[in-house]
Amino acid sequence: MPNTTILPANQRNLKNRVGVGRAIRNSGTLAYRALLKMFHNPEIFVDFVVLPVMFTLLFTFLFGGAIAGNISNYLPIVIPGVLLMSSFTNCTTAGSKLREDVDKGTTSRFKSMPIARIAPLAGSLTADLVRYVMGGITVFTTGYLLGYRPEAGISAVIFSILFVMFVAWCLSWVFAFISLCTKTISTASAIGVVVMFPLVFLSNAFVPAETMPGRLQYFVLHINPLSHVVTVVRQLLTYGTIGADFWFALSGTLALLLVFIPLTLIAYKRKA
Amino acid sequence: MTNTRLKNNSILAVEAHGLVKTFGDNRAVDGVSLSIPTGSICGVLGPNGAGKTTTINMLATLSKPDAGNVKIFGYDVLSETQIVRQLIGLTGQFASIDEDLTALENLMIFGRLYGYSRQDARRIGNELLAEFGLSDVASRSLSKFSGGMRRRLDLAVSLISQPPLIFLDEPTTGLDPRTRTQMWQTIRKLVKGGSTVLLTTQYLDEADQLADNIVVIDKGRVVANDTPEGLKRSVGSSSLRLTVKDADHTANAAQIIRGILKAKVHLAEASELIAPMNNPDKLTDVLTSLKDAGIALSGVSILQPTLDEVFFALTGESSQAKKEEN
Ligand SMILES: Nc1ncnc2c1ncn2[C@@H]1O[C@H](COP(=O)(O)OP(=O)(O)OP(=O)(O)O)[C@@H](O)[C@H]1O
Ligand SMILES: [Mg+2]
């Protein structure tokens, strides 16, 4: 306070390191900040509530008859697909809030403070978990109202949401990295769309791979990593089990995370 | 205890030597050295693009100097960065608070980041809001704040941790005269409490009013470093301002004045000349000589020394360059 006496520099207890505990607390505070901003701006709920409902209805009624004969047969195919699509379109915008902070100078202020350098990144991306979970709940609720009853029950539903949330969170570091490297934020979102759309649609998310021509089928099943995630979710919801695809998807996204946390941090430090 | 205290007094709050920062082939800061004694206000004065912000950024650990070194209270900014960050508060040139949050939320989040508990952060936040006259709008969204309110809140944020050294980058730019005076009072109060302040400004009267020591920089170099009084003394006790009726005669007039006053003459505007005048008796000589040369005047005045003259005297070249831009 201006009206109290300032403790002189040499009488302070000072440390030249930020410990892990402090880093986690800082990240928590900044995640809380991101959430507060999210809830002060309710229009962004369109992204993770209205869009998933729209996608579910659109795909179910548009493709349901053509692909699976009727709507109720198509629901087990399309629900995992929409779950994935809504989470992944959300994570392509993960870097936009970070970028806003960089452009507005908030990041400079963070940099002048004794906080962990990773906290603004980790906080912002972790707050997005709320978006993935809300998107997931919306997708399953819409599916339920359309008559979808997953065989493996509620625990499989919860596990699927958490699994897709984790994958999306790992991927969001990649998109945060991209948004910190581009000149403007709109370039970054354009890249997000260009990368995400082909990957989502050239996968087994909406159409069973068996109906595709040979080469495309090979790409969908063996090259596109997103197909593994969709397969995991379908298997979970139908049989309540996890198989090789689960471990493949998990190790793949973990590897991505290990590569992109440092890369994103470097890009962030350079930008700020 | 006494020993450490003695040591503290001898330690400078800021000690920078030969700072250099280049962007491409633009030497934005070109060998700046500064020392600021604990408990004083240092005013860094310079025109747009002089390198003020770039200098602050290096002192406040935001960017690494290409050459030179900085010690804050004896701690090195490069090797003891986190310690330095615990000792400084920074209010940047552009408000960096969150538009989407309320004033109190902003303060509380920064308080939490500095390690205060939720209750303490709330208490400190409320105290600061009261101090800065923002209590009434504590829970209002910042998007409805005026520029002056934002500026004050931005300053409040950098005081949360009660740092002994505060950097203020153009704290009063864009404020109305009343809010500006309030800001000055706040800054003086901070120093009374034991803080050291480094502020940058483009306003000469501001540096004159507040600073114990003024560092004038231009094109990345320190062109003067003195007390306000010392700076004024260096350009003479008062100065003469003449406006020539016919701009074509300006150069001629400047030559005549230079011959009589034996001092540098500065072109303030197309037909306006300013020259330091230590001996007022010489005024008649100047006027007679001009008349003899057939140079008509449209205005004569004696200026009490202000930092404006100091500024013209020291960075005359760049003030001219600025004029060409206009
Ligand atoms: N990030 C940057 N990249 C490239 N050039 C820069 C950068 N930051 C500053 N500069 C250049 O460095 C010089 C000094 O800029 P600086 O912002 O330090 O000036 P200033 O004294 O703060 O000016 P102002 O009064 O306008 O704020 C300018 O020529 C500016 O163009
Ligand atoms: Mg500046």
Side-chain angles (χ1 to χ4, degrees):
Chain A
M1 277 310 300
N3 47 10
T4 58
T5 316
I6 302 286
L7 191 64
N10 65 337
Q11 288 166 31
R12 293 179 180 226
N13 180 17
L14 302 164
K15 269 188 293 206
N16 197 22
R17 288 168 28 84
V18 177
V20 176
R22 183 77 188 263
I24 292 172
R25 273 198 307 280
N26 289 160
S27 305
T29 303
L30 289 171
Y32 171 73
R33 164 178 176 263
L35 285 178
L36 262 185
K37 286 172 68 140
M38 214 183 276
F39 286 96
H40 278 299
N41 256 341
E43 62 264 42
I44 60 156
F45 282 85
V46 170
D47 270 1
F48 48 89
V49 177
V50 178
L51 283 185
V53 172
M54 207 184 76
F55 284 144
T56 313
L57 295 178
L58 203 72
F59 287 118
T60 307
F61 290 106
L62 201 61
F63 300 144
I67 291 171
N70 60 49
I71 286 170
S72 59
N73 281 347
Y74 187 53
L75 281 172
I77 297 173
V78 76
I79 291 293
V82 176
L83 176 67
L84 185 103
M85 179 173 175
S86 74
S87 309
F88 288 7
T89 42
N90 267 331
C91 84
T92 58
T93 62
S96 65
K97 288 283 160 205
L98 275 175
R99 195 45 204 269
E100 211 173 87
D101 283 348
V102 171
D103 295 345
K104 269 176 35 187
T106 315
T107 307
S108 297
R109 163 154 261 151
F110 289 151
K111 196 173 178 183
S112 76
M113 296 170 63
I115 62 172
R117 287 307 303 281
I118 195 149
L121 282 175
S124 174
L125 296 183
T126 305
D128 285 342
L129 293 179
V130 171
R131 305 204 297 179
Y132 308 136
V133 169
M134 287 185 74
I137 292 173
T138 311
V139 170
F140 279 104
T141 310
T142 316
Y144 186 86
L145 294 177
L146 292 174
Y148 175 54
R149 302 287 181 271
E151 278 102 325
I154 185 76
S155 54
V157 169
I158 293 169
F159 195 84
S160 316
I161 293 178
L162 293 178
F163 173 69
V164 172
M165 173 190 91
F166 177 75
V167 174
W169 185 75
C170 295
L171 268 181
S172 71
W173 286 83
V174 180
F175 288 102
F177 173 74
I178 293 173
S179 73
L180 289 170
C181 292
T182 54
K183 208 160 192 174
T184 65
I185 184 65
S186 42
T187 319
S189 2
I191 292 176
V193 172
V194 168
V195 171
M196 224 55 210
F197 260 78
L199 280 182
V200 168
F201 283 98
L202 295 181
S203 78
N204 55 358
F206 303 110
V207 181
E210 300 80 61
T211 63
M212 298 175 187
R215 273 193 202 162
L216 186 61
Q217 195 179 90
Y218 184 82
F219 174 83
V220 166
L221 288 180
H222 299 283
I223 296 181
N224 187 350
L226 292 197
S227 297
H228 296 280
V229 180
V230 178
T231 308
V232 171
V233 175
R234 266 193 205 126
Q235 188 184 346
L236 247 171
L237 292 171
T238 315
Y239 306 106
T241 59
I242 51 175
D245 279 307
F246 175 80
W247 299 110
F248 182 83
L250 195 68
S251 50
T253 43
L254 273 176
L256 216 54
L257 191 66
L258 288 181
V259 173
F260 275 90
I261 285 184
L263 277 184
T264 313
L265 192 56
I266 290 169
Y268 183 69
K269 280 184 178 172
R270 190 170 294 176
K271 200 92 196 176
Chain B
M1 200 64 198
T2 338
N3 269 341
T4 49
R5 217 174 260 154
L6 273 176
K7 201 173 144 214
N8 184 48
N9 286 340
S10 67
I11 284 182
L12 293 166
V14 176
E15 198 180 358
H17 287 292
L19 288 182
V20 175
K21 185 82 188 179
T22 46
F23 298 107
D25 51 9
N26 173 12
R27 289 176 84 83
V29 173
D30 193 4
V32 166
S33 299
L34 277 177
S35 47
I36 308 177
T38 304
S40 70
I41 302 184
C42 172
V44 174
L45 185 63
N48 285 127
K52 303 183 294 294
T53 302
T54 311
T55 304
I56 283 209
N57 285 351
M58 289 187 278
L59 301 178
T61 77
L62 296 188
S63 70
K64 287 196 177 116
D66 295 332
N69 59 66
V70 182
K71 283 201 174 4
I72 302 290
F73 294 108
Y75 297 105
D76 187 85
V77 286
L78 292 179
S79 59
E80 292 161 309
T81 317
Q82 288 298 343
I83 291 188
V84 170
R85 286 176 180 157
Q86 288 161 60
L87 296 170
I88 60 172
L90 169 69
T91 306
Q93 186 167 358
F94 305 102
S96 60
I97 38 193
D98 258 309
E99 291 285 315
D100 302 333
L101 303 180
T102 69
L104 184 60
E105 282 167 350
N106 262 296
L107 285 165
M108 279 185 66
I109 282 167
F110 283 101
R112 299 278 291 148
L113 286 175
Y114 276 111
Y116 292 108
S117 70
R118 188 175 294 273
Q119 293 91 314
D120 284 349
R122 180 180 296 276
R123 180 180 51 76
I124 293 170
N126 278 319
E127 281 171 11
L128 281 166
L129 287 171
E131 170 69 28
F132 284 86
L134 295 170
S135 294
D136 300 344
V137 289
S139 52
R140 207 197 282 174
S141 161
L142 277 199
S143 43
K144 297 181 187 77
F145 269 40
S146 72
M149 288 155 96
R150 264 169 233 229
R151 211 70 205 137
R152 274 182 285 162
L153 184 64
D154 209 29
L155 176 57
V157 168
S158 41
L159 303 183
I160 290 172
S161 67
Q162 306 191 1
L165 172 62
I166 300 156
F167 295 105
L168 304 172
D169 198 357
E170 302 198 15
T172 63
T173 303
L175 299 189
D176 65 37
R178 201 174 56 107
T179 334
R180 198 164 159 218
T181 319
Q182 279 175 2
M183 190 61 99
W184 289 357
Q185 280 164 358
T186 310
I187 294 169
R188 290 200 185 97
K189 213 162 157 190
L190 285 171
V191 174
K192 232 178 241 161
S195 297
T196 307
V197 172
L198 184 155
L199 64 90
T200 72
T201 178
Q202 298 184 31
Y203 304 121
L204 308 143
D205 61 322
E206 181 160 285
D208 193 11
Q209 283 277 334
L210 289 173
D212 298 303
N213 212 54
I214 298 177
V215 176
V216 184
I217 61 173
D218 185 41
K219 293 183 182 154
R221 290 170 187 273
V222 175
V223 293
N225 184 349
D226 209 337
T227 57
E229 290 69 32
L231 276 181
K232 285 180 200 169
R233 228 178 295 125
S234 69
V235 277
S237 54
S238 58
S239 44
L240 172 64
R241 184 169 68 186
L242 292 174
T243 316
V244 182
K245 213 172 229 161
D246 182 352
D248 293 343
H249 291 150
T250 314
N252 206 352
Q255 204 175 1
I256 292 170
I257 299 170
R258 205 177 299 126
I260 297 170
L261 296 180
K262 309 258 179 296
K264 264 172 125 184
V265 178
H266 297 287
L267 200 62
E269 269 164 40
S271 57
E272 195 177 273
L273 297 156
I274 295 180
M277 189 173 59
N278 292 315
N279 183 358
D281 288 341
K282 294 253 170 87
L283 177 60
T284 26
D285 297 356
V286 171
L287 295 177
T288 326
S289 305
L290 288 174
K291 192 172 180 200
D292 292 348
I295 300 171
L297 301 175
S298 60
V300 180
S301 53
I302 307 288
L303 301 172
Q304 285 314 304
T306 69
L307 282 166
D308 275 303
E309 279 93 63
V310 178
F311 199 71
F312 279 128
L314 296 167
T315 68
E317 213 191 337
S318 76
S319 67
Q320 213 135 10
K322 243 192 297 180
K323 212 172 49 200
E324 274 152 28
E325 277 167 32
N326 291 343

